[in-house]
Amino acid sequence: MSENPTAPEAPAEPGTVPTPRDRGEPMFPGGPVADPAGSHHERRIRSFRPRRGRVTVGQGEALRRLWPQWGLDIDGLRRIDLGELFHTEGAGDSDLPVVLEIGFGMGEATAQMAAADPATGILAADVHTPGQGNLLALAERNGLTNIRVANGDAIILLREMLAPAALSGLRVFFPDPWPKKRHHKRRLIQPEFIELAATRLKPGALLHCATDWEPYAEQMLEVLTASPAFDNTRSDGGYSPRPDFRPLTKFEGQGLDKGHPVHDLIFRRNDT
C-alpha cells in the first residue's frame, strides 16, 4: 500500500523535520534513501507499507551523524560481509554471531536485547525512518556497538545481500498481521519466506516469531511446522512462553491491553 505522491504535506509539528516523499533522494545527507532497491518495480507482493512519518530533530541528527557508520541501505547490489559490518576498533579478530531482526518499530526492545547480549550482533531491518533514527540514537546513548540498522526490504537483504548460513538467528516480532482475508497473501511468514530464511541461517540458529494476532500465530505455527528445515523447540509442538531475553514491546502491551493472547514461536534450524 503506497502513499499518494500528490497529496499535500501536512505542516511540520514543532520539534520535527519534514522528510521528502517518493523522490528517491536521501532523506538526510548521507542517511537512508527512500526505497533503496527500487523494490516497487519488483513484481512481488510486499509484506510492508511505507512508514516514513515525521522525524524529530534528535532522530534526524542521529541519522545524519551515525548512518554512515552504523547504517545500511538494502539496495540488493552487493554481498555483505557481516564480520566487516560489525567490526569495531579494539574488538579483536573474532566475529560476532549476528541475528537479523525484521521490523523493530522505535527500537526500544532491540536496544534492550543488544545491551543484555553484547556478544551478539543485531542487524535490525525496517522501513520506518523515525524508528531508524531513534534506534541509532539509543545505540549511541547506551554505548551499544553491536547494532547495525538496515533500511529497506528484508526479502532483498536475505536473498541478494547475505551469504548462505551467514546468520545465527532471525527474529520477527509483531509483524503486520494483515487481518483481512484478501490481504493474507501479504503476510511475511509464508512457506517461500521460510524456505529463503532457512538458506541464510546456520544449523542450530533460532527463528523466533511473536504475534498478538491469534489467526496469524496459527498460520505461523502451521508454516513452520511444515518446513523440513526447522524443528520446534517445544516438545509438544506448540507455542513457547516468552523467553526472558525478549522484552515486552510497545505493540505487545497494546495487544495485551486489548485482551489479545501473545504467542511466541521458537524453531531451530536443523542440519537438513
Side-chain angles (χ1 to χ4, degrees), residues 111-134:
Q112 290 181 52
M113 289 185 287
D117 185 12
T120 296
I122 299 180
L123 178 56
D126 209 313
V127 294
H128 187 214
T129 312
Q132 293 166 354
N134 199 62

mmCIF file of all heavy atoms in Angstrom, residues 111-134:
data_model
loop_
_atom_site.group_PDB
_atom_site.id
_atom_site.type_symbol
_atom_site.label_atom_id
_atom_site.label_comp_id
_atom_site.label_asym_id
_atom_site.label_seq_id
_atom_site.Cartn_x
_atom_site.Cartn_y
_atom_site.Cartn_z
ATOM 1 N N ALA A 111 17.238 -2.301 21.400
ATOM 2 C CA ALA A 111 18.330 -1.756 22.205
ATOM 3 C C ALA A 111 18.480 -2.516 23.518
ATOM 4 O O ALA A 111 19.608 -2.774 23.969
ATOM 5 C CB ALA A 111 18.082 -0.274 22.474
ATOM 6 N N GLN A 112 17.371 -2.902 24.133
ATOM 7 C CA GLN A 112 17.450 -3.674 25.376
ATOM 8 C C GLN A 112 18.105 -5.028 25.140
ATOM 9 O O GLN A 112 18.939 -5.482 25.939
ATOM 10 C CB GLN A 112 16.049 -3.875 25.959
ATOM 11 C CG GLN A 112 15.406 -2.620 26.524
ATOM 12 C CD GLN A 112 14.030 -2.908 27.098
ATOM 13 O OE1 GLN A 112 13.855 -3.804 27.921
ATOM 14 N NE2 GLN A 112 13.034 -2.160 26.649
ATOM 15 N N MET A 113 17.744 -5.705 24.045
ATOM 16 C CA MET A 113 18.334 -7.014 23.752
ATOM 17 C C MET A 113 19.820 -6.883 23.440
ATOM 18 O O MET A 113 20.635 -7.735 23.829
ATOM 19 C CB MET A 113 17.580 -7.687 22.604
ATOM 20 C CG MET A 113 16.181 -8.150 22.983
ATOM 21 S SD MET A 113 15.334 -9.087 21.672
ATOM 22 C CE MET A 113 14.956 -7.768 20.500
ATOM 23 N N ALA A 114 20.190 -5.823 22.733
ATOM 24 C CA ALA A 114 21.605 -5.608 22.414
ATOM 25 C C ALA A 114 22.408 -5.336 23.672
ATOM 26 O O ALA A 114 23.542 -5.815 23.822
ATOM 27 C CB ALA A 114 21.742 -4.446 21.432
ATOM 28 N N ALA A 115 21.848 -4.576 24.597
ATOM 29 C CA ALA A 115 22.549 -4.275 25.841
ATOM 30 C C ALA A 115 22.714 -5.522 26.703
ATOM 31 O O ALA A 115 23.736 -5.707 27.361
ATOM 32 C CB ALA A 115 21.797 -3.197 26.617
ATOM 33 N N ALA A 116 21.709 -6.391 26.688
ATOM 34 C CA ALA A 116 21.745 -7.599 27.512
ATOM 35 C C ALA A 116 22.677 -8.662 26.939
ATOM 36 O O ALA A 116 23.122 -9.551 27.678
ATOM 37 C CB ALA A 116 20.332 -8.164 27.663
ATOM 38 N N ASP A 117 22.986 -8.573 25.632
ATOM 39 C CA ASP A 117 23.816 -9.596 24.986
ATOM 40 C C ASP A 117 24.817 -8.921 24.051
ATOM 41 O O ASP A 117 24.708 -9.000 22.825
ATOM 42 C CB ASP A 117 22.919 -10.563 24.208
ATOM 43 C CG ASP A 117 23.688 -11.728 23.600
ATOM 44 O OD1 ASP A 117 24.870 -11.917 23.961
ATOM 45 O OD2 ASP A 117 23.108 -12.436 22.748
ATOM 46 N N PRO A 118 25.824 -8.266 24.607
ATOM 47 C CA PRO A 118 26.782 -7.534 23.771
ATOM 48 C C PRO A 118 27.635 -8.434 22.896
ATOM 49 O O PRO A 118 28.293 -7.951 21.976
ATOM 50 C CB PRO A 118 27.638 -6.777 24.787
ATOM 51 C CG PRO A 118 27.505 -7.553 26.060
ATOM 52 C CD PRO A 118 26.112 -8.114 26.046
ATOM 53 N N ALA A 119 27.650 -9.758 23.160
ATOM 54 C CA ALA A 119 28.443 -10.686 22.354
ATOM 55 C C ALA A 119 27.713 -11.123 21.084
ATOM 56 O O ALA A 119 28.247 -11.925 20.319
ATOM 57 C CB ALA A 119 28.818 -11.915 23.179
ATOM 58 N N THR A 120 26.509 -10.608 20.858
ATOM 59 C CA THR A 120 25.747 -10.917 19.649
ATOM 60 C C THR A 120 25.471 -9.632 18.889
ATOM 61 O O THR A 120 25.031 -8.634 19.470
ATOM 62 C CB THR A 120 24.409 -11.604 20.005
ATOM 63 O OG1 THR A 120 24.686 -12.861 20.620
ATOM 64 C CG2 THR A 120 23.556 -11.833 18.760
ATOM 65 N N GLY A 121 25.721 -9.640 17.586
ATOM 66 C CA GLY A 121 25.377 -8.507 16.747
ATOM 67 C C GLY A 121 23.924 -8.584 16.318
ATOM 68 O O GLY A 121 23.407 -9.671 16.039
ATOM 69 N N ILE A 122 23.260 -7.442 16.283
ATOM 70 C CA ILE A 122 21.869 -7.382 15.816
ATOM 71 C C ILE A 122 21.830 -6.512 14.569
ATOM 72 O O ILE A 122 22.150 -5.319 14.614
ATOM 73 C CB ILE A 122 20.927 -6.808 16.889
ATOM 74 C CG1 ILE A 122 20.937 -7.698 18.139
ATOM 75 C CG2 ILE A 122 19.504 -6.699 16.334
ATOM 76 C CD1 ILE A 122 20.033 -7.199 19.258
ATOM 77 N N LEU A 123 21.445 -7.121 13.460
ATOM 78 C CA LEU A 123 21.202 -6.397 12.216
ATOM 79 C C LEU A 123 19.703 -6.154 12.160
ATOM 80 O O LEU A 123 18.920 -7.072 11.932
ATOM 81 C CB LEU A 123 21.687 -7.203 11.021
ATOM 82 C CG LEU A 123 21.458 -6.607 9.631
ATOM 83 C CD1 LEU A 123 22.077 -5.219 9.514
ATOM 84 C CD2 LEU A 123 22.002 -7.539 8.555
ATOM 85 N N ALA A 124 19.283 -4.919 12.423
ATOM 86 C CA ALA A 124 17.875 -4.573 12.588
ATOM 87 C C ALA A 124 17.365 -3.896 11.318
ATOM 88 O O ALA A 124 17.861 -2.837 10.937
ATOM 89 C CB ALA A 124 17.696 -3.650 13.790
ATOM 90 N N ALA A 125 16.383 -4.508 10.658
ATOM 91 C CA ALA A 125 15.883 -4.013 9.377
ATOM 92 C C ALA A 125 14.465 -3.470 9.526
ATOM 93 O O ALA A 125 13.610 -4.107 10.150
ATOM 94 C CB ALA A 125 15.896 -5.128 8.329
ATOM 95 N N ASP A 126 14.235 -2.290 8.938
ATOM 96 C CA ASP A 126 12.901 -1.682 8.965
ATOM 97 C C ASP A 126 12.843 -0.623 7.873
ATOM 98 O O ASP A 126 13.871 -0.274 7.281
ATOM 99 C CB ASP A 126 12.613 -1.059 10.334
ATOM 100 C CG ASP A 126 11.128 -1.060 10.687
ATOM 101 O OD1 ASP A 126 10.318 -0.672 9.816
ATOM 102 O OD2 ASP A 126 10.778 -1.440 11.813
ATOM 103 N N VAL A 127 11.638 -0.115 7.628
ATOM 104 C CA VAL A 127 11.453 0.951 6.639
ATOM 105 C C VAL A 127 10.934 2.229 7.289
ATOM 106 O O VAL A 127 10.561 3.169 6.593
ATOM 107 C CB VAL A 127 10.472 0.499 5.525
ATOM 108 C CG1 VAL A 127 11.065 -0.625 4.713
ATOM 109 C CG2 VAL A 127 9.118 0.073 6.106
ATOM 110 N N HIS A 128 10.917 2.264 8.617
ATOM 111 C CA HIS A 128 10.344 3.381 9.364
ATOM 112 C C HIS A 128 11.454 4.357 9.729
ATOM 113 O O HIS A 128 12.254 4.097 10.637
ATOM 114 C CB HIS A 128 9.654 2.845 10.612
ATOM 115 C CG HIS A 128 8.880 3.862 11.379
ATOM 116 N ND1 HIS A 128 8.776 3.836 12.758
ATOM 117 C CD2 HIS A 128 8.170 4.933 10.977
ATOM 118 C CE1 HIS A 128 8.033 4.842 13.151
ATOM 119 N NE2 HIS A 128 7.649 5.523 12.102
ATOM 120 N N THR A 129 11.524 5.477 9.039
ATOM 121 C CA THR A 129 12.621 6.414 9.233
ATOM 122 C C THR A 129 12.723 6.938 10.672
ATOM 123 O O THR A 129 13.833 6.975 11.228
ATOM 124 C CB THR A 129 12.501 7.590 8.248
ATOM 125 O OG1 THR A 129 12.274 7.081 6.942
ATOM 126 C CG2 THR A 129 13.768 8.422 8.248
ATOM 127 N N PRO A 130 11.636 7.362 11.314
ATOM 128 C CA PRO A 130 11.774 7.797 12.708
ATOM 129 C C PRO A 130 12.331 6.696 13.611
ATOM 130 O O PRO A 130 13.150 6.965 14.491
ATOM 131 C CB PRO A 130 10.351 8.180 13.103
ATOM 132 C CG PRO A 130 9.685 8.529 11.808
ATOM 133 C CD PRO A 130 10.268 7.593 10.803
ATOM 134 N N GLY A 131 11.896 5.454 13.393
ATOM 135 C CA GLY A 131 12.410 4.344 14.187
ATOM 136 C C GLY A 131 13.885 4.105 13.951
ATOM 137 O O GLY A 131 14.635 3.796 14.890
ATOM 138 N N GLN A 132 14.324 4.245 12.702
ATOM 139 C CA GLN A 132 15.745 4.086 12.399
ATOM 140 C C GLN A 132 16.573 5.117 13.155
ATOM 141 O O GLN A 132 17.589 4.789 13.776
ATOM 142 C CB GLN A 132 15.973 4.223 10.894
ATOM 143 C CG GLN A 132 15.371 3.096 10.072
ATOM 144 C CD GLN A 132 15.303 3.416 8.583
ATOM 145 O OE1 GLN A 132 15.602 4.546 8.163
ATOM 146 N NE2 GLN A 132 14.916 2.444 7.783
ATOM 147 N N GLY A 133 16.118 6.365 13.112
ATOM 148 C CA GLY A 133 16.836 7.415 13.837
ATOM 149 C C GLY A 133 16.803 7.198 15.332
ATOM 150 O O GLY A 133 17.803 7.418 16.027
ATOM 151 N N ASN A 134 15.670 6.729 15.847
ATOM 152 C CA ASN A 134 15.543 6.515 17.287
ATOM 153 C C ASN A 134 16.462 5.394 17.752
ATOM 154 O O ASN A 134 17.120 5.508 18.800
ATOM 155 C CB ASN A 134 14.092 6.193 17.641
ATOM 156 C CG ASN A 134 13.788 6.410 19.116
ATOM 157 O OD1 ASN A 134 13.900 7.521 19.617
ATOM 158 N ND2 ASN A 134 13.394 5.353 19.802
#
